[in-house]
Amino acid sequence: MNPDDFLRSPYHRFLRLEIVSWQTGQVEMRIPFRDELLRRSDSDWLHGGIVAALIDIAGNAAVSSVTGSSVPTIDMRVDYLRPSRGSLSATSRAVKVGRTVGVSDVEVRDSSGDLVATGRAVYAIPKPEAKAQEQA
Amino acid sequence: MNPDDFLRSPYHRFLRLEIVSWQTGQVEMRIPFRDELLRRSDSDWLHGGIVAALIDIAGNAAVSSVTGSSVPTIDMRVDYLRPSRGSLSATSRAVKVGRTVGVSDVEVRDSSGDLVATGRAVYAIPKPEAKAQEQA
Amino acid sequence: MNPDDFLRSPYHRFLRLEIVSWQTGQVEMRIPFRDELLRRSDSDWLHGGIVAALIDIAGNAAVSSVTGSSVPTIDMRVDYLRPSRGSLSATSRAVKVGRTVGVSDVEVRDSSGDLVATGRAVYAIPKPEAKAQEQA
Amino acid sequence: MNPDDFLRSPYHRFLRLEIVSWQTGQVEMRIPFRDELLRRSDSDWLHGGIVAALIDIAGNAAVSSVTGSSVPTIDMRVDYLRPSRGSLSATSRAVKVGRTVGVSDVEVRDSSGDLVATGRAVYAIPKPEAKAQEQA
């Protein structure tokens, strides 16, 4: 995916995902607050599933900013450090982009600026022939 | 959370989350297809962030069905085994409910019936005093 | 690796690793007790690093029993469910063996027969050319 | 555990574990090369189980340097970035030390100085009464 593809995804549109910066191997993204992201109706905590989605998306972007192709997620770990409120922003960094897999590290902060979660995810690097077909 | 709380969550309502069965330590849930869950506009693959959210939610339910109280997620791992299409259903099982943490195992299948992802998550068990306050 | 390679590994020899059963996609292994595996000198709890090693090794074996070639570990998650004592045995199952990665699920029990830890690990599947070279 | 306890552990003695620095919330450790740590007899790659053990131990140390008490591992994730050779050193940092759990981030380098693996682990923080008993 490239930045335009990211913003055309139906789920990303629901999340109102914004790309704050997009450099090779390092990407920053943001999800503005909306009521549908809340965990409970009687609390202002965001749902953990939104945090997890942002980690997957930002980690994917950091690796695909290097490969130039879409990279399916193989697995992901999320550590929730504290409850999050308001808007979320993620900075993600490609730790490794090898022949088989890419690895990303992601940090998520909420409106308070506090680190609310960290993530690590592994993505499959398409094999050369697959890349060629995708570009055809 | 109890089953009613689960369905009142704003994000769960967006997901149109359904509880298929709710037994102590074992829960089954379903997310019916809707366009906003798609990963790309030109493909019928569901977004990985939806799969991750379902794993978090279903794992949480399995542990809180035992504790009777809400259990914040500490961390989660998701393994994506193949692309998913259509509606998603998750079966989740509490592997352990200790004094400090609970652990869940989750399997996710899509409309084809294939196993599309597995998850494992750890939840904080509220300390007795905290439980008492929550119920007050 | 094949069963013979497993037993020739210097670290496996230190662990006195035993292969209990080796079927395609499903492997059972055992580490007998020895003093050097203890976590503390004043306790009979085994060290968590031994449990993690057994998960990596048994998960690797389940995938390589399918591929017939050695499969480097990409990542691993270990959940420690309770303290372990005595000898350890692991049963491992290949959940997926794809073109890029293989995924294993591992359960570890100790002398009491209790489930003491679970693990999930992802392994790189060598590309065809790499396999050919390795066999040459 | 305190630094002395770390070095009295039978498994740490097998690993010839050295504490390079021990500050509150940040610890550096080292495992010098020995033949028993090798993955295969015909290669100089270290066994992944040693890397995992070092991550568990160093992450544990960073959290227990803050709590002053022993902290059982709840779960751990290891990402293997490249093969490792020679001696291993780990720097670990407590990302969070809360009332229920502590979280560590660990980086492992080998003799070449390259980052060979990263780890993230979660540890249980003893409840006040448990701490009091332990110190009694």
Side-chain angles (χ1 to χ4, degrees):
Chain A
M1 285 199 183
N2 55 44
D4 285 348
D5 284 336
F6 263 83
L7 301 178
R8 268 200 295 269
S9 154
Y11 185 55
H12 297 181
R13 281 205 306 258
F14 162 71
L15 295 174
R16 295 174 184 162
L17 189 74
E18 299 165 11
I19 296 175
V20 178
S21 74
W22 181 287
Q23 297 169 273
T24 303
Q26 191 152 342
V27 169
E28 188 175 347
M29 290 183 165
R30 191 170 169 276
I31 294 178
F33 177 76
R34 64 181 287 180
D35 284 341
E36 287 84 351
L37 308 185
L38 289 173
R39 179 162 179 265
R40 302 179 64 136
S41 52
D42 58 356
S43 147
D44 62 348
W45 292 6
L46 297 172
H47 197 284
I50 302 299
V51 175
L54 180 55
I55 286 172
D56 182 20
I57 296 166
N60 189 305
V63 172
S64 68
S65 74
V66 176
T67 61
S69 59
S70 123
V71 292
T73 313
I74 292 174
D75 66 67
M76 168 171 62
R77 174 179 175 118
V78 178
D79 287 83
Y80 295 96
L81 303 177
R82 54 182 61 79
S84 52
R85 294 180 179 81
S87 299
L88 292 175
S89 63
T91 53
S92 109
R93 195 171 54 87
V95 175
K96 171 188 171 170
V97 179
R99 288 194 320 146
T100 307
V101 299
V103 180
S104 283
D105 240 12
V106 185
E107 294 191 343
V108 179
R109 292 168 195 278
D110 72 359
S111 289
S112 71
D114 286 339
L115 185 66
V116 295
T118 61
R120 192 158 289 162
V122 175
Y123 301 90
I125 305 296
K127 314 207 170 182
E129 61 284 41
K131 266 196 226 173
Q133 288 182 328
E134 192 178 321
Q135 289 161 357
Chain B
M1 288 198 181
N2 55 44
D4 285 349
D5 284 336
F6 262 84
L7 301 179
R8 269 199 294 269
S9 154
Y11 186 55
H12 297 182
R13 281 206 305 258
F14 162 71
L15 295 175
R16 296 178 182 158
L17 189 73
E18 299 165 10
I19 297 174
V20 178
S21 73
W22 181 287
Q23 296 170 273
T24 304
Q26 191 152 341
V27 169
E28 188 175 347
M29 292 183 164
R30 192 171 169 276
I31 294 177
F33 177 76
R34 64 182 286 180
D35 284 341
E36 287 84 352
L37 308 185
L38 289 173
R39 179 164 180 263
R40 301 179 64 136
S41 53
D42 57 356
S43 147
D44 61 348
W45 291 7
L46 298 171
H47 198 284
I50 302 299
V51 174
L54 180 56
I55 285 172
D56 182 20
I57 296 165
N60 189 305
V63 172
S64 68
S65 73
V66 176
T67 62
S69 59
S70 123
V71 291
T73 312
I74 293 174
D75 66 66
M76 167 171 63
R77 175 181 173 118
V78 178
D79 287 83
Y80 294 96
L81 302 177
R82 55 182 61 80
S84 53
R85 294 180 178 80
S87 300
L88 292 175
S89 62
T91 54
S92 109
R93 197 171 52 87
V95 175
K96 171 188 172 171
V97 179
R99 288 194 322 144
T100 307
V101 298
V103 180
S104 281
D105 240 11
V106 185
E107 293 192 342
V108 179
R109 291 168 195 279
D110 72 359
S111 289
S112 71
D114 286 338
L115 184 67
V116 295
T118 62
R120 192 158 289 163
V122 175
Y123 301 91
I125 304 297
K127 314 207 171 182
E129 60 284 43
K131 264 194 229 174
Q133 289 182 330
E134 189 178 325
Q135 289 160 1
Chain C
M1 286 198 183
N2 55 45
D4 285 347
D5 284 335
F6 263 82
L7 301 178
R8 268 199 295 266
S9 153
Y11 186 55
H12 298 182
R13 281 205 305 257
F14 162 71
L15 295 174
R16 294 175 184 160
L17 189 73
E18 298 165 10
I19 296 175
V20 178
S21 74
W22 181 288
Q23 296 170 273
T24 304
Q26 190 152 342
V27 169
E28 188 174 348
M29 290 182 164
R30 192 171 169 277
I31 294 177
F33 176 77
R34 63 182 286 179
D35 285 340
E36 287 84 350
L37 308 185
L38 289 173
R39 178 164 179 264
R40 302 178 64 135
S41 52
D42 58 355
S43 148
D44 62 349
W45 291 6
L46 298 171
H47 198 284
I50 302 299
V51 175
L54 180 55
I55 285 172
D56 182 21
I57 296 166
N60 188 305
V63 172
S64 69
S65 73
V66 176
T67 62
S69 58
S70 122
V71 292
T73 313
I74 293 174
D75 65 68
M76 167 172 63
R77 173 180 175 119
V78 178
D79 287 83
Y80 295 95
L81 303 176
R82 53 183 61 79
S84 53
R85 292 180 180 81
S87 299
L88 292 176
S89 63
T91 54
S92 110
R93 195 170 54 87
V95 175
K96 170 187 172 171
V97 179
R99 289 195 320 146
T100 308
V101 298
V103 180
S104 281
D105 240 12
V106 184
E107 293 191 344
V108 179
R109 292 167 195 280
D110 72 358
S111 288
S112 71
D114 286 338
L115 184 66
V116 295
T118 61
R120 192 158 290 162
V122 175
Y123 302 90
I125 305 296
K127 312 206 172 183
E129 60 286 41
K131 266 195 225 172
Q133 289 182 329
E134 191 177 321
Q135 289 161 358
Chain D
M1 287 198 181
N2 54 45
D4 284 350
D5 283 337
F6 263 84
L7 301 179
R8 268 199 295 269
S9 154
Y11 186 53
H12 298 182
R13 281 205 306 258
F14 163 70
L15 294 175
R16 296 175 182 160
L17 189 72
E18 301 165 9
I19 296 175
V20 178
S21 74
W22 182 287
Q23 297 170 274
T24 304
Q26 191 152 340
V27 169
E28 188 174 346
M29 291 183 163
R30 191 170 170 278
I31 294 178
F33 177 76
R34 64 181 287 181
D35 285 340
E36 288 83 351
L37 309 185
L38 289 173
R39 179 165 180 262
R40 301 178 66 135
S41 52
D42 57 357
S43 146
D44 61 349
W45 291 7
L46 298 171
H47 198 284
I50 302 299
V51 175
L54 179 56
I55 285 173
D56 183 21
I57 295 165
N60 190 305
V63 172
S64 69
S65 73
V66 176
T67 62
S69 59
S70 122
V71 292
T73 313
I74 293 174
D75 66 66
M76 168 171 63
R77 174 180 174 120
V78 179
D79 287 84
Y80 295 96
L81 303 177
R82 54 182 62 78
S84 53
R85 293 181 179 80
S87 299
L88 291 175
S89 63
T91 54
S92 108
R93 194 170 54 87
V95 176
K96 170 188 173 172
V97 179
R99 288 193 322 144
T100 308
V101 298
V103 180
S104 282
D105 241 11
V106 185
E107 293 191 344
V108 179
R109 291 168 195 278
D110 72 359
S111 289
S112 70
D114 286 338
L115 184 67
V116 295
T118 63
R120 191 159 289 162
V122 175
Y123 302 90
I125 306 296
K127 314 207 171 183
E129 59 285 43
K131 264 195 228 173
Q133 289 184 331
E134 191 177 321
Q135 289 160 358

